[in-house]
């Protein structure tokens, strides 16, 4: 699944360069998500905020643009996302082909058609803020 043009060390070095930049959080996050997209060779990178009390999923930073699948500001019921499963495992969740891995019946797949998903909890000061995830409709 990794991009052959960008190896792990190069990706890590670029990520550290992004983290060290003196710029706004959203810009830095978008650059990191773009790098993740390139490295994983997927279509979309997302930072979400999840409200566990209301089970709402809100897109905070995305590599998608208005009019695309997951534009800025989208809010969903957590049940419509693979992120709910990521939070249950409290670690990364990787799906490389939802239809071949028996995820085709999942509400997230039915809603979005996402076949490739890599998500991990995003923890701030010991509390789970949301998830960072990378998605594609292609396996």
């Amino acid at each position: 699944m990794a991009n052959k043009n960008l190896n792990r060390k190069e990706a890590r070095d670029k990520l550290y360069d992004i983290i060290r930049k003196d710029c706004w959080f959203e810009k830095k996050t978008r650059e990191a998500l773009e790098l993740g997209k390139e490295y994983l060779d997927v279509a979309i990178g997302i930072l979400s905020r999840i409200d566990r009390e209301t089970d709402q999923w809100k897109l905070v930073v995305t590599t998608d643009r208005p009019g695309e699948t997951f534009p800025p500001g989208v809010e969903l019921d957590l049940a419509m996302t693979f992120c709910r499963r990521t939070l249950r495992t409290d670690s990364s969740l990787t799906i490389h082909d939802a239809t071949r891995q028996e995820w085709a019946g999942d509400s997230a797949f039915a809603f979005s058609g996402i076949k490739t998903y890599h998500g991990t909890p995003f923890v701030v000061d010991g509390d789970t803020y949301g998830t960072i995830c990378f998605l594609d409709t292609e396996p």
Side-chain angles (χ1 to χ4, degrees):
M1 188 156 120
N3 185 333
K4 304 294 185 234
N5 296 321
L6 187 65
N7 70 42
R8 185 178 299 173
K9 182 184 179 330
E10 292 168 330
R12 185 177 39 246
D13 290 346
K14 285 183 178 189
L15 180 60
Y16 289 149
D17 288 343
I18 291 167
I19 291 168
R20 285 191 283 269
K21 283 184 178 183
D22 184 21
C23 63
W24 292 38
F25 174 78
E26 186 173 324
K27 179 177 176 14
K28 197 180 290 195
T29 303
R30 184 169 285 107
E31 287 183 25
L33 291 171
E34 289 287 352
L35 175 63
K37 267 180 43 177
E38 179 185 354
Y39 179 71
L40 296 172
D41 194 22
V42 295
I44 304 166
I46 291 172
L47 169 62
S48 72
R49 171 75 170 119
I50 297 173
D51 185 330
R52 298 302 291 267
E53 290 181 22
T54 64
D55 281 339
Q56 287 295 300
W57 177 95
K58 183 176 182 178
L59 208 153
V60 177
V61 181
T62 178
T63 60
D64 255 3
R65 305 289 179 234
E68 294 181 340
T69 309
F70 290 100
V74 166
E75 292 188 41
L76 299 170
D77 185 321
L78 184 60
M80 304 304 286
T81 71
F82 287 121
C83 296
R84 76 185 191 288
R85 300 280 184 113
T86 300
L87 295 178
R88 283 187 207 150
T89 64
D90 206 30
S91 64
S92 294
L93 172 65
T94 302
I95 302 168
H96 59 84
D97 187 344
T99 56
R100 292 182 184 228
Q101 291 178 269
E102 301 179 15
W103 289 88
D106 189 88
S107 59
F109 177 76
F111 170 74
S112 66
I114 296 297
K115 292 181 182 166
T116 299
Y117 172 91
H118 178 82
T120 192
F122 183 64
V123 178
V124 177
D125 295 330
D127 294 320
T128 301
Y129 174 88
T131 58
I132 295 175
C133 42
F134 298 92
L135 323 163
D136 206 314
T137 55
E138 297 298 320

